[in-house]
Amino acid sequence: MPERMVGELRYELTRKRVKNLNLRIRTDGTIAVSAPQRTPLAEIDRFVASRAQWIDRARRRVLDRMQEAACSQHSDAECLEVFEQVSDRIYPLFARVLPSKPELRVRQMKSRWGSCCPAKNRITLNKQLLDKPYEALEYVVLHEYVHFLHPDHQAGFHAEMARLMPDYKTRRALLK
């Protein structure tokens, strides 16, 4: 299968008995294009170039999935052990308000670092936190504890975060 270049994009072209041009991003991030037998190369190149933004987004999604898969190599027990240590250090700040230390749970999450369920006295943390700097992990655990006092992200929540962790905004940036 011949490889072609369009600008910075390298793709693998396959001629097939198909009616349309088709573009796929493989799991390794390479670009595969299948085209009808008689489609001119210039038309195929234009097609690929016109999809450059889509290709970029799709490649990022593939990389994200690969990172998630790598992160899931940590066992729940490993994550829980580390997360419990952080929680043990933060709980005393809330002991007057919370009758008992919240139950910690671990799971793989796509769009959150943690979640809090005050009604069940439970905090759930993303397994991927284990791959982030320790300061970021402390930030997320404190963030979830503060939700026991302030269920939303209004001014009171941020004031409490600033009081307990003056550098919380810097730590939050470590998660990006």
Side-chain angles (χ1 to χ4, degrees):
M1 290 182 233
E3 272 196 9
R4 301 215 16 106
M5 288 286 292
V6 176
E8 298 289 316
L9 298 173
R10 179 185 306 271
Y11 69 93
E12 197 171 285
L13 175 62
T14 306
R15 300 269 188 181
K16 293 182 173 183
R17 293 183 60 177
V18 294
K19 291 183 180 181
N20 300 308
L21 289 167
N22 298 296
L23 186 140
R24 283 181 239 6
I25 305 300
R26 296 187 182 121
T27 56
D28 64 357
T30 59
I31 304 167
V33 176
S34 55
Q37 300 284 351
R38 297 179 198 249
T39 305
L41 290 175
E43 184 179 332
I44 298 168
D45 288 346
R46 277 193 304 277
F47 171 75
V48 173
S50 73
R51 302 296 193 278
Q53 288 182 330
W54 179 88
I55 290 168
D56 188 46
R57 286 191 308 270
R59 280 181 162 168
R60 275 190 257 130
R61 283 193 306 271
V62 166
L63 284 173
D64 288 347
R65 279 190 219 115
M66 289 171 63
Q67 287 175 336
E68 283 177 21
C71 291
S72 64
Q73 292 174 357
H74 299 296
S75 72
D76 288 0
E78 282 178 297
C79 294
L80 211 47
E81 183 180 338
V82 174
F83 298 165
E84 285 284 355
Q85 291 171 7
V86 175
S87 179
D88 288 345
R89 290 186 44 236
I90 291 175
Y91 174 70
L93 300 171
F94 296 84
R96 290 182 296 115
V97 184
L98 299 174
S100 62
K101 193 174 93 168
E103 172 194 0
L104 286 187
R105 290 193 176 176
V106 176
R107 61 179 268 232
Q108 192 81 28
M109 294 188 242
K110 289 186 179 191
S111 61
R112 297 179 182 200
W113 293 111
S115 65
C116 171
C117 184
K120 295 182 180 179
N121 198 34
R122 180 185 307 145
I123 292 174
T124 304
L125 297 168
N126 190 332
K127 289 176 77 168
Q128 294 177 10
L129 277 171
L130 205 56
D131 296 322
K132 295 294 181 181
Y134 189 77
E135 294 81 11
L137 170 57
E138 286 179 321
Y139 159 77
V140 172
V141 173
L142 179 66
H143 179 112
E144 298 310 328
Y145 266 95
V146 171
H147 277 308
F148 283 97
L149 306 175
H150 301 277
D152 51 29
H153 292 114
Q154 298 299 319
F157 173 87
H158 291 287
E160 190 68 20
M161 284 296 295
R163 186 180 75 76
L164 296 170
M165 185 180 281
D167 65 339
Y168 83 97
K169 289 181 182 177
T170 304
R171 291 172 181 242
R172 182 177 57 203
L174 296 172
L175 295 168
K176 295 179 181 183

